């Protein structure tokens, strides 16, 4: 969110957990939508023509619906598989990707060194702070994984081989 805000974007976040809405606002979200059976109505009330950029973090579980949120000439970038389903049944690109919508992916394996340096320079210039939920040592990996599974972290979970 902070990266998007640093370039002037309006940020619309979604959550399935109503209790996380205030945290998302504190982190910079302009709008927080509760991901329920009415999410489409919530989004189109804010952006009647859809939005020009979607960062899809849940993945294949929500991909088809997220594609419907993208405005013409907009981009959906899938960068996560939080839904824990790596493959999709019944995906028809000519049907499921709306005409005029661009669909791409990003993984950290594909980032180029010059882009990474540009990103770090941007982070430093805009004093972007990564929210860290909790730091664990390597021998606490089980506790770190439990925190992730509970979906309570509100920030990055860090595991280090150093003594904290």
């Amino acid at each position: 969110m902070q990266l998007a805000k640093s370039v002037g974007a309006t940020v619309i976040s979604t959550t399935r957990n109503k209790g996380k809405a205030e945290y998302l606002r504190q982190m910079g979200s302009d709008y927080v939508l509760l991901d329920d059976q009415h999410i489409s109505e919530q989004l189109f009330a804010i952006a009647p023509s859809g939005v020009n950029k979607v960062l899809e973090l849940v993945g294949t579980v929500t991909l088809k619906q997220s594609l419907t949120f993208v405005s013409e000439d907009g981009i959906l970038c899938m960068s996560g598989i939080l839904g824990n389903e790596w493959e999709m049944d019944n995906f028809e690109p000519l049907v499921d990707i709306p005409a005029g919508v661009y669909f791409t992916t990003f993984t950290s394996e594909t980032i180029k060194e010059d882009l990474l340096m540009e990103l770090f320079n941007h982070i430093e210039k805009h004093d972007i702070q990564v929210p860290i939920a909790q730091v664990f040592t390597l021998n606490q990996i089980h506790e770190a994984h439990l925190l992730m599974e509970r979906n309570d972290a509100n920030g990055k979970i860090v595991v280090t081989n150093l003594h904290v």
Side-chain angles (χ1 to χ4, degrees):
M1 282 186 275
Q2 292 178 63
L3 283 172
K5 295 300 288 181
S6 72
V7 296
T10 298
V11 175
I12 302 172
S13 299
T14 64
T15 181
R16 291 184 181 102
N17 181 341
K18 195 177 205 176
K20 289 191 175 192
E22 185 54 35
Y23 174 76
L24 291 168
R25 285 187 196 90
Q26 289 172 0
M27 291 290 105
S29 186
D30 296 292
Y31 300 93
V32 178
L33 309 182
L34 186 59
D35 191 353
D36 59 14
Q37 60 268 41
H38 303 290
I39 192 165
S40 294
E41 292 89 354
Q42 294 174 65
L43 180 102
F44 290 117
I46 297 165
S49 299
V51 295
N52 61 355
K53 305 278 189 300
V54 171
L55 179 60
E56 174 59 68
L57 299 173
V58 177
T60 59
V61 175
T62 55
L63 178 62
K64 285 184 185 183
Q65 182 179 42
S66 294
L67 281 164
T68 69
F69 297 158
V70 183
S71 62
E72 188 173 348
D73 294 326
I75 301 169
L76 183 143
C77 179
M78 189 170 111
S79 183
I81 305 285
L82 294 174
N84 208 25
E85 289 187 29
W86 291 81
E87 296 178 3
M88 250 176 118
D89 291 329
N90 304 315
F91 181 70
E92 298 179 60
L94 291 174
V95 173
D96 295 324
I97 303 173
V101 168
Y102 299 89
F103 174 37
T104 189
T105 62
F106 171 81
T107 66
S108 57
E109 296 170 2
T110 61
I111 195 163
K112 296 176 183 156
E113 186 176 341
D114 59 329
L115 288 175
L116 189 59
M117 291 311 301
E118 188 178 324
L119 175 63
F120 286 145
N121 290 336
H122 184 90
I123 289 168
E124 185 176 23
K125 177 182 176 184
H126 294 279
D127 193 32
I128 294 172
Q129 302 296 314
V130 177
I132 297 175
Q134 195 167 344
V135 178
F136 295 91
T137 61
L138 197 53
N139 61 351
Q140 295 173 309
I141 194 79
H142 180 74
E143 290 87 356
H145 196 271
L146 289 174
L147 178 61
M148 180 191 69
E149 291 279 322
R150 285 195 312 269
N151 196 22
D152 295 341
N154 286 348
K156 295 295 179 189
I157 299 169
V158 177
V159 178
T160 178
N161 64 353
L162 303 174
H163 295 288
V164 179

